[in-house]
Amino acid sequence: MNDETPVLDNHMHLDPDAARGMDAVDDFVHLGGTHLLVVNKPSWHLGVESTDPEDFRSVFETTLDIVADATERLPGRAWPILGVHPGLISRLIDDRGCSPDEAADLMQRVLEIAAEYVESGDALALKSGRPHYEVDDAVWGASNDVMKHAFELGADLDCAVQLHTEASEDLTEVADWAEARGLDPLHVVKHYASGRLAGPTPSVMCKKEWLETAAEHEAPFLMETDYVDDPDRLGAVMGPKTVPRRVRWLREEGYDEAIETAHVETPKRVYGIDTRRTLG
């Protein structure tokens, strides 16, 4: 890796207390990583089990703090992405006795609090989505309502929305929902994507075959690990060194244009961030 190559992990979680935290950031930097998008951990992983939307501010404040710490260690910087994990709807229904509509209303109100941080410039984008596991029609419909509300907020704020959804190579319907609410589908990012996706912008998990597909497709894409930073799930998903390692591999395979696409051009088009200017 040369010193002028930005290397962005588009979706990473960091825990300030229970897991590796800054040690994971140091591993990322040591291998050549420069920039991070840090997504708040699911609220229940940070001790918030509540039906009061205001209680979720602590999740966002914790994320802002750890992003500030990470930025001090990075050659570039980190940005926070704030919102609600779609799995929260099941916890609210199963553990808190909420109806699907009540759970959706709470999640929409939490998204509105997250939007305050974007509006103030403290956060970069919003996080939403729908369950990647089987749910009944009422929960599915309520989850889609939450996601559509995130699109409305994203359009109002002119910010991107990262999605956690089921595995799919075709989310054109979701992209259409965003566009109908005034949000360009380019600014809708499918977290944990494979190498090809119709509709939103794919944030490609760093499997070599998926990256190769994305690189040859010549469409906007991002790269991520979905590093979870959870001591109870050591080895889950991908480690913090993976994106820099895959950038080196892409370079060796001759995919220089794809590196520029994933780490400079797409971040600028989707989020409005300049990874080259913020490097060093």
Side-chain angles (χ1 to χ4, degrees):
M1 215 87 71
N2 65 63
D3 292 339
E4 298 179 357
T5 302
V7 176
L8 169 72
D9 189 328
N10 182 66
H11 190 106
M12 179 182 282
H13 302 282
L14 293 171
D15 194 305
D17 300 314
R20 298 196 65 224
M22 292 303 104
D23 289 342
V25 176
D26 290 342
D27 283 350
F28 175 72
V29 171
H30 182 69
L31 268 289
T34 62
H35 295 78
L36 293 172
L37 295 190
V38 180
V39 182
N40 63 260
K41 296 191 81 171
S43 48
W44 57 94
H45 288 184
L46 294 176
V48 175
E49 298 274 10
S50 175
T51 55
D52 183 349
E54 288 296 325
D55 289 342
F56 289 77
R57 285 189 188 274
S58 67
V59 174
F60 302 150
E61 293 291 341
T62 295
T63 306
L64 296 185
D65 288 345
I66 202 163
V67 164
D69 290 343
T71 293
E72 291 183 359
R73 294 170 179 254
L74 290 164
R77 61 161 295 178
W79 292 271
I81 294 181
L82 305 180
V84 287
H85 190 286
L88 177 61
I89 196 166
S90 297
R91 298 184 73 89
L92 291 170
I93 293 168
D94 297 340
D95 299 341
R96 294 289 176 265
C98 294
S99 69
D101 287 345
E102 290 169 338
D105 180 68
L106 169 63
M107 293 170 72
Q108 288 172 343
R109 290 162 67 192
V110 175
L111 278 169
E112 289 166 4
I113 292 173
E116 295 175 14
Y117 289 88
V118 176
E119 187 172 24
S120 68
D122 292 322
L124 181 66
L126 298 173
K127 166 191 175 179
S128 187
R130 62 190 182 192
H132 63 277
Y133 49 89
E134 187 173 348
V135 295
D136 63 33
D137 290 345
V139 174
W140 187 251
S143 297
N144 283 328
D145 288 343
V146 174
M147 182 165 54
K148 291 172 184 177
H149 189 58
F151 296 153
E152 292 170 355
L153 294 170
D156 289 344
L157 294 164
D158 192 24
C159 78
V161 177
Q162 270 203 27
L163 297 182
H164 179 123
T165 75
E166 74 280 7
S168 177
E169 291 189 353
D170 187 350
L171 291 175
T172 51
E173 182 182 42
V174 170
D176 290 344
W177 291 344
E179 192 164 28
R181 287 159 179 79
L183 184 64
D184 186 336
L186 177 71
H187 302 301
V188 179
V189 178
K190 162 63 171 127
H191 142 67
Y192 211 116
S194 61
R196 190 181 298 272
L197 178 66
T201 299
S203 181
V204 179
M205 287 292 290
C206 284
K207 296 181 180 180
K208 289 183 178 180
E209 61 270 28
W210 288 2
L211 291 174
E212 195 166 37
T213 297
E216 294 178 353
H217 190 47
E218 297 183 351
F221 77 100
L222 299 149
M223 291 171 58
E224 68 164 83
T225 57
D226 188 25
Y227 176 66
V228 296
D229 205 18
D230 186 339
D232 295 326
R233 298 176 62 198
L234 294 175
V237 201
M238 292 182 169
K241 301 177 182 179
T242 310
V243 167
R245 283 174 169 162
R246 293 295 184 263
V247 169
R248 292 186 182 193
W249 173 78
L250 286 168
R251 185 82 72 203
E252 291 167 359
E253 296 297 312
Y255 290 116
D256 289 6
E257 290 185 9
I259 295 170
E260 185 78 6
T261 295
H263 299 276
V264 179
E265 294 174 2
T266 305
K268 190 167 188 177
R269 293 179 65 188
V270 172
Y271 300 111
I273 58 177
D274 191 331
T275 54
R276 184 158 278 129
R277 186 178 60 82
T278 53
L279 183 57

